Amino acid sequence: MTSPPSGTPVTMASRNPAAMDPILEARGVQKWYPNGYHALRGVDLTVHRGEVVVIMGPSGSGKSTFIRTFNALEDFQKGSIVVDDRPLTNDVRNIDAIRREVGMVFQQFNLFPHLTVLENLTLAPTLVRQRPKREVEQQALDLLERVGIHEQARKYPGQLSGGQKQRVAIARSLCMEPRIMLFDEPTSAL
């Protein structure tokens, strides 16, 4: 096996042989920024249901850019992406449907500073999925317990440490019950 060229992200996968249907496929994905920088150069990736994939590479190699294309937070100019049998196109309804099924934990957490931890967790499931608030609140409290910060539910993000904010971001994403989870630098603050 040869090493990839310097600066190329590397993927590592853990396969679940019982679930080999692809849930995410990227073929020949290319992205240029307006300044002409070629950030993604024909990237291919297949992720099967139940599979855990790690994308590794040096800073600036395109890891964050690549995973942000899966839910149209970054556009791409060439290639194709299929998420859970749904081609990623410029159709806003299609993008919304994909985003409902793809959870994302960002490097910078992106918590709403004016909302409590509990409100951060319950906002999207009640608005987007239209689930009953009481049901979502119980799920949110259970998830906060699971990530070890149940006691922080009534605090605001500004009152939390970086690691606590990271765990809130993970719980918030899980609260949407996504079919796919994307983590950008998932352990940076833990």
Side-chain angles (χ1 to χ4, degrees):
M1 183 173 171
T2 61
S3 296
S6 177
T8 302
V10 176
T11 62
M12 294 173 38
S14 169
R15 296 217 184 250
N16 175 354
M20 292 308 289
D21 292 333
I23 195 161
L24 188 132
E25 292 183 278
R27 294 286 168 255
V29 175
Q30 296 199 43
K31 176 178 180 57
W32 289 266
Y33 282 103
N35 66 2
Y37 178 70
H38 196 178
L40 301 174
R41 298 173 183 261
V43 181
D44 294 329
L45 176 70
T46 301
V47 179
H48 297 92
R49 295 177 197 285
E51 188 173 38
V52 175
V53 175
V54 176
I55 301 174
M56 300 181 338
S59 180
S61 65
K63 302 176 304 290
S64 295
T65 299
F66 186 48
I67 68 170
R68 290 170 60 90
T69 62
F70 302 149
N71 56 9
L73 293 175
E74 291 278 355
D75 61 346
F76 58 96
Q77 288 74 35
K78 286 188 178 180
S80 66
I81 295 177
V82 178
V83 179
D84 200 16
D85 297 322
R86 194 180 300 260
L88 184 57
T89 65
N90 289 331
D91 182 343
V92 174
R93 292 174 303 217
N94 193 38
I95 292 170
D96 286 345
I98 288 171
R99 286 181 179 163
R100 278 192 294 275
E101 300 304 328
V102 177
M104 178 86 178
V105 179
F106 299 91
Q107 279 187 46
Q108 302 302 319
F109 320 127
N110 294 353
L111 300 175
F112 294 108
H114 64 290
L115 300 178
T116 65
V117 166
L118 187 60
E119 290 167 336
N120 264 280
L121 268 65
T122 59
L123 182 65
T126 55
L127 290 178
V128 176
R129 294 230 188 251
Q130 298 183 343
R131 292 176 46 210
K133 186 171 181 150
R134 176 168 275 160
E135 171 190 310
V136 175
E137 283 181 348
Q138 185 57 56
Q139 179 190 24
L141 291 170
D142 291 346
L143 286 167
L144 289 172
E145 181 75 35
R146 188 172 177 187
V147 298
I149 55 168
H150 184 269
E151 71 284 353
Q152 308 299 333
R154 306 279 181 223
K155 291 185 178 178
Y156 289 88
Q159 298 172 295
L160 305 177
S161 71
Q164 290 170 327
K165 289 177 188 175
Q166 181 79 335
R167 287 182 271 172
V168 170
I170 292 168
R172 177 182 62 182
S173 190
L174 289 171
C175 214
M176 282 293 287
E177 299 176 344
R179 295 174 56 85
I180 299 170
M181 285 287 294
L182 305 172
F183 293 89
D184 193 2
E185 301 282 345
T187 60
S188 62
L190 298 180

